[in-house]
Amino acid sequence: MVLAVSGGPDSTALLHGAAALSKDRSWRLTVAHLDHALRASSAHEAAAVAAAAAAMGLPAEVRRADVAALAAAEHRSLEDAGRQARYRFLEEVATGLGPGALIATAHTADDAAETILLRLARGSGLRGLRGIPARRGRIVRPLLHARRSALRAALDAAGIAYVTDPSNADPAHARNRVRGELLPELERLNPAVVEALARFGRLAADDDDLLDALAAAELARRRDGEDGSIDWHRPPARALGRRVMRLAIGDPAPSAERIEALLDGAEGPRGGIAIELGGGRGASVRERRIRLG
Amino acid sequence: MVLAVSGGPDSTALLHGAAALSKDRSWRLTVAHLDHALRASSAHEAAAVAAAAAAMGLPAEVRRADVAALAAAEHRSLEDAGRQARYRFLEEVATGLGPGALIATAHTADDAAETILLRLARGSGLRGLRGIPARRGRIVRPLLHARRSALRAALDAAGIAYVTDPSNADPAHARNRVRGELLPELERLNPAVVEALARFGRLAADDDDLLDALAAAELARRRDGEDGSIDWHRPPARALGRRVMRLAIGDPAPSAERIEALLDGAEGPRGGIAIELGGGRGASVRERRIRLG
């Protein structure tokens, strides 16, 4: 199992929790740390993670990535570029350990709640409100039901040191505003709001999976011709129709407005329409059949 | 059409907007105001609404209800008791006008967004996040896409007076905290967050309706015996199973935990279980059939 350890409190709790549990189990743990090179202190933090692993008798893989340069080259935010570089690194370390290796990250219930609020604020539908999955491929998140405050309290009680990332307090980052302002305000309405949001995320994921399965079956039934066109006589409920078309069109997803316009056209009184879907893709409707190309 | 007019800015905009539109239409408008008797100034406000209606040549029905006494008698919050008394009064006025009468309320996009945030904070699933419906029975909400700030600006520009309810600034009311603290903070993340939340509510309603229709069909298929028991061999996806059982059990809804426990029992290795569902109701499972009673 690869442990993703930044050196902050959550991943330090993951490291010590996994090490304690592994004593009675046949786990083989490897610590992985990606130095994002965004702060002067980051090399020092990387060395501290390596030293902590060595003190616990665990192997460590530490790599340095110039996340600022990656972000600039790919026109991504620092957060996006950092996340992508981090997961790519973790997957490489896991692949090096052989098949069956898992990657454990230290995401908490607080992270899941923050993700749901961020996506809701930015205008998501149900799909975006799934929160953070407890498992995806070989990535596992054993702390997803734990509160960040409980992990910190446990570390402090045990006298275990951890790094406090100063960028976590910078209100220029949207997630920090959610963490520092929005969640505390919501907790005044409901002290258990983090648990409520995490539960909502799990229910949303179940509902979303069910609707996706329905959409896949509906698409297979309606794509009945030899030319790959989709029969839109007797259209399904709009909630299902949206998902059928989203699935048929594939990635990158067109805007919600384009999909609504396509369905309005396919279900409207006029015989034919043509709509751009972005990325050189288009759709046309004739005689209540939808053709994508 | 009955116009629900509190005298605040939103309903004053509804009153003047409906009056302006009715000139070219065959609408017959009646102003309805329920004095909640919660503030010393409320009788004065009721008189002001009646005077405004008279000045516009519209009939008005004004009634006084002791909402505090209703709330105490029924062990409800002032907000709940007021809402129930208000809608009962509006329905009575509409019934008095004859069949075909509609009731228009002044709910705005801000109200819809606040409702979604309140329910999310309190731990709702998809069902609770439907926002405020644009139409329910004979109740219509023509301002549901309008921003509260735009209505106020229009009234101020036209020099039309309205009442400012001092209780709307009281942070003891959860809705006022959402309005005064939470939504402004979310708007710093996304200036169009109110529209994003309102759109989420509409999508959630569509998804929720579709899932409910599926659940009703699934329940009809599984309730196949003469004894009204429900066949739970080959259980459906949990997202659907939850809704099937919620529908079969009816109101008042048991807690989510009870429904999960019932489904865990019905799908688990043990042959039989019995579970209390509250309100004197119970469920038992034998040979993969669920019996409610």
Side-chain angles (χ1 to χ4, degrees):
Chain A
M1 187 186 295
V2 180
L3 304 176
V5 178
S6 71
D10 303 346
S11 63
T12 299
L14 174 71
L15 169 61
H16 285 266
L21 288 173
S22 73
K23 284 185 188 130
D24 297 333
R25 292 168 174 81
S26 61
W27 295 353
R28 285 189 304 129
L29 303 177
T30 293
V31 173
H33 175 88
L34 187 69
D35 175 357
H36 290 44
L38 292 172
R39 295 193 306 276
S41 60
S42 72
H44 176 73
E45 289 160 24
V49 169
M56 299 170 79
L58 297 176
E61 295 241 17
V62 176
R63 190 182 299 172
R64 186 176 172 90
D66 189 344
V67 168
L70 285 172
E74 299 175 5
H75 305 287
R76 304 162 78 92
S77 70
L78 287 177
E79 199 182 350
D80 271 359
R83 180 170 42 235
Q84 195 184 40
R86 206 158 55 239
Y87 279 106
R88 202 180 288 155
F89 165 62
L90 293 168
E91 291 284 355
E92 277 180 36
V93 175
T95 300
L97 295 178
L102 297 175
I103 297 165
T105 74
H107 290 94
T108 62
D110 297 69
D111 291 309
E114 290 160 13
T115 297
I116 289 172
L117 287 172
L118 268 173
R119 296 206 186 136
L120 191 66
R122 286 171 178 165
S124 175
L126 187 61
R127 182 181 304 274
L129 301 195
R130 304 178 56 124
I132 297 175
R135 177 149 194 176
R136 182 168 60 81
R138 58 181 165 186
I139 299 168
V140 296
R141 298 186 169 104
L143 302 181
L144 205 53
H145 288 264
R147 292 299 308 271
R148 192 179 286 142
S149 55
L151 297 179
R152 259 167 234 219
L155 290 173
D156 292 343
I160 297 171
Y162 49 84
V163 173
T164 307
D165 180 348
S167 71
N168 281 347
D170 181 353
H173 293 296
R175 182 174 288 271
N176 294 336
R177 301 189 76 114
V178 170
R179 185 176 300 176
E181 307 288 338
L182 209 55
L183 265 179
E185 184 60 43
L186 281 164
E187 283 183 317
R188 281 188 275 278
L189 293 171
N190 175 6
V193 72
V194 165
E195 290 83 352
L197 286 169
R199 180 174 156 273
F200 175 78
R202 291 192 295 275
L203 292 173
D206 288 350
D207 283 347
D208 195 49
D209 285 341
L210 176 62
L211 291 167
D212 273 352
L214 276 177
E218 186 80 12
L219 176 59
R221 192 159 48 237
R222 289 179 178 270
R223 195 177 246 163
D224 55 355
E226 288 187 0
D227 61 350
S229 67
I230 303 163
D231 177 17
W232 216 251
H233 290 90
R234 300 162 59 96
R238 183 56 66 99
L240 187 55
R242 277 181 199 122
R243 284 175 187 260
V244 169
M245 293 317 305
R246 169 76 187 73
L247 182 64
I249 296 166
D251 289 322
S255 72
E257 289 71 24
R258 296 285 171 103
I259 290 183
E260 296 302 314
L262 172 58
L263 293 175
D264 287 345
E267 297 166 17
R270 290 180 47 199
I273 59 152
I275 281 182
E276 290 292 323
L277 296 171
R281 299 166 302 175
S284 62
V285 180
R286 211 162 7 132
E287 293 171 358
R288 306 278 175 213
R289 295 194 71 87
I290 301 174
R291 282 170 187 77
L292 302 173
Chain B
M1 186 185 297
V2 181
L3 304 175
V5 178
S6 70
D10 302 347
S11 64
T12 299
L14 175 71
L15 170 61
H16 285 267
L21 288 173
S22 74
K23 284 184 186 131
D24 297 332
R25 293 168 173 79
S26 61
W27 293 354
R28 285 188 304 127
L29 303 176
T30 292
V31 173
H33 176 89
L34 187 70
D35 176 356
H36 291 45
L38 291 172
R39 295 195 305 277
S41 61
S42 72
H44 176 72
E45 289 160 23
V49 169
M56 298 169 79
L58 298 176
E61 295 242 16
V62 175
R63 190 180 300 171
R64 187 176 170 90
D66 190 344
V67 168
L70 285 173
E74 299 174 8
H75 306 287
R76 304 163 76 92
S77 70
L78 287 177
E79 200 183 348
D80 270 0
R83 181 172 40 237
Q84 193 183 43
R86 207 158 56 238
Y87 278 107
R88 203 181 287 156
F89 165 63
L90 293 169
E91 291 283 356
E92 277 180 36
V93 175
T95 300
L97 295 179
L102 297 175
I103 297 165
T105 73
H107 290 94
T108 61
D110 297 69
D111 291 308
E114 289 160 14
T115 297
I116 289 172
L117 287 173
L118 267 173
R119 296 204 186 136
L120 191 66
R122 285 171 179 165
S124 174
L126 188 61
R127 182 180 305 276
L129 300 195
R130 304 180 55 124
I132 298 174
R135 177 149 194 176
R136 183 169 59 82
R138 57 181 166 186
I139 299 168
V140 295
R141 299 187 169 104
L143 302 182
L144 205 52
H145 288 263
R147 291 299 309 269
R148 191 179 286 141
S149 55
L151 298 178
R152 259 167 235 221
L155 290 173
D156 291 343
I160 298 171
Y162 49 85
V163 173
T164 306
D165 180 348
S167 70
N168 280 346
D170 182 353
H173 293 296
R175 183 174 288 272
N176 295 336
R177 301 189 74 116
V178 170
R179 185 176 300 176
E181 307 288 338
L182 209 55
L183 265 180
E185 184 60 43
L186 281 165
E187 283 183 317
R188 281 188 276 276
L189 292 172
N190 175 8
V193 72
V194 166
E195 291 82 353
L197 286 169
R199 180 174 157 272
F200 175 77
R202 293 193 294 275
L203 292 173
D206 288 350
D207 283 346
D208 195 49
D209 286 341
L210 176 61
L211 291 167
D212 273 352
L214 274 178
E218 186 79 12
L219 176 60
R221 190 159 48 236
R222 289 178 178 269
R223 196 176 245 163
D224 55 355
E226 288 186 359
D227 62 350
S229 67
I230 303 162
D231 177 16
W232 216 250
H233 290 89
R234 298 162 59 98
R238 183 56 68 100
L240 187 55
R242 277 180 199 123
R243 284 176 187 259
V244 169
M245 291 318 305
R246 169 75 187 76
L247 182 65
I249 296 166
D251 289 323
S255 72
E257 289 72 23
R258 296 286 172 102
I259 290 184
E260 296 300 316
L262 173 57
L263 293 175
D264 286 345
E267 298 166 16
R270 290 180 46 198
I273 60 153
I275 282 182
E276 291 292 321
L277 296 171
R281 300 166 302 174
S284 61
V285 180
R286 213 164 4 131
E287 294 171 357
R288 307 279 176 213
R289 295 195 72 89
I290 301 173
R291 283 169 186 77
L292 301 173

